[in-house]
Amino acid sequence: MAATPPPEHLRDEVESVLIGEAEIAARVRELAADIERDFAGKDLLVVALLTGTVPFLADLIRHIALPMRLDFMGVSSYGSSTAPGELVFTKELRLEARDRDVLLVDDILDTGKTLRAVIDKLNALQPRSLKTCVLLEKKSRRTEAIPADYIGFEVPDEFVIGYGLDYAERYRNLPFIGVLKESAVSGEQ
Ligand code: IMP
Ligand code: MG
């Protein structure tokens, strides 16, 4: 598949468009349909991790026609912008998770350290069930045995941005998922 060039104004920062807007939209609808089928008859608690899930979450939940509550957890990894570091919880769950059917949503499953920590924390709250949905997964860097129940796309081991994913907190607003240019990776900001 030939790489699609990014829009003109992003050519200095974005190497290529990996997954375009239409492809994302179609896949998100499929994920929503799978979730709707599997959770039929249940009252969902959707727990999304800040901040990278925001565009994905907004699109996903609008296509799930089931009763649900929505809450957020904040997790940050203090490391460099492209390499993971130590995990710190920056926002705790506000809604009751005990005896709930929980769907945990994250942007990307990379090493698995983030989801490992969040899943352990959620399981301690004794939900009735816990399933995990990620927009993207990178298989090559996995260190934790985390199987996600719903996966949007598998991506190669490259640093991706857009549709919620950031580099140094930027690019979350891009409507597509792209590969960041090596030359756009600067020192810490
Ligand atoms: P993990 O804990 O290694 O699985 O990493 C998960 C987190 O790392 C994600 O929630 C992202 O915030 C970040 N991350 C990993 N890979 C990328 C990437 O390619 N682009 C942007 N963020 C990434
Ligand atoms: Mg991030």
Side-chain angles (χ1 to χ4, degrees), residues 161-183:
I161 49 168
Y163 197 61
L165 291 124
D166 72 302
Y167 166 65
E169 299 302 330
R170 297 196 179 272
Y171 308 111
R172 294 195 197 272
N173 58 317
L174 305 186
F176 58 85
I177 293 163
V179 177
L180 184 69
K181 271 198 170 173
E182 285 283 345
S183 60

Side-chain angles (χ1 to χ4, degrees), residues 57-117:
L57 179 74
D59 289 341
L60 183 75
I61 63 171
R62 283 181 291 175
H63 293 106
I64 302 174
L66 291 176
M68 71 167 68
R69 295 178 172 90
L70 174 61
D71 203 353
F72 293 92
M73 283 172 81
V75 204
S76 276
S77 88
Y78 284 121
S80 76
S81 304
T82 57
E86 194 196 332
L87 286 178
V88 177
F89 283 89
T90 57
K91 187 199 173 294
E92 299 291 334
L93 207 61
R94 196 174 58 88
L95 301 181
E96 186 71 58
R98 195 188 171 104
D99 295 333
R100 295 274 161 213
D101 293 299
V102 175
L103 178 69
L104 173 61
V105 179
D106 200 9
D107 54 1
I108 182 167
L109 175 55
D110 185 13
T111 65
K113 289 197 169 68
T114 304
L115 283 185
R116 172 83 280 148

Side-chain angles (χ1 to χ4, degrees), residues 109-170:
L109 175 55
D110 185 13
T111 65
K113 289 197 169 68
T114 304
L115 283 185
R116 172 83 280 148
V118 174
I119 287 169
D120 289 351
K121 211 171 156 86
L122 283 172
N123 274 331
L125 301 173
Q126 302 182 299
R128 183 186 296 131
S129 66
L130 175 58
K131 287 198 168 179
T132 304
C133 173
V134 294
L135 173 66
L136 306 177
E137 83 158 336
K138 276 185 202 168
K139 282 199 171 135
S140 51
R141 305 211 308 163
R142 193 72 38 81
T143 60
E144 308 289 319
I146 305 280
D149 299 286
Y150 307 95
I151 298 163
F153 302 92
E154 191 187 330
V155 293
D157 187 14
E158 288 185 276
F159 201 78
V160 292
I161 49 168
Y163 197 61
L165 291 124
D166 72 302
Y167 166 65
E169 299 302 330
R170 297 196 179 272

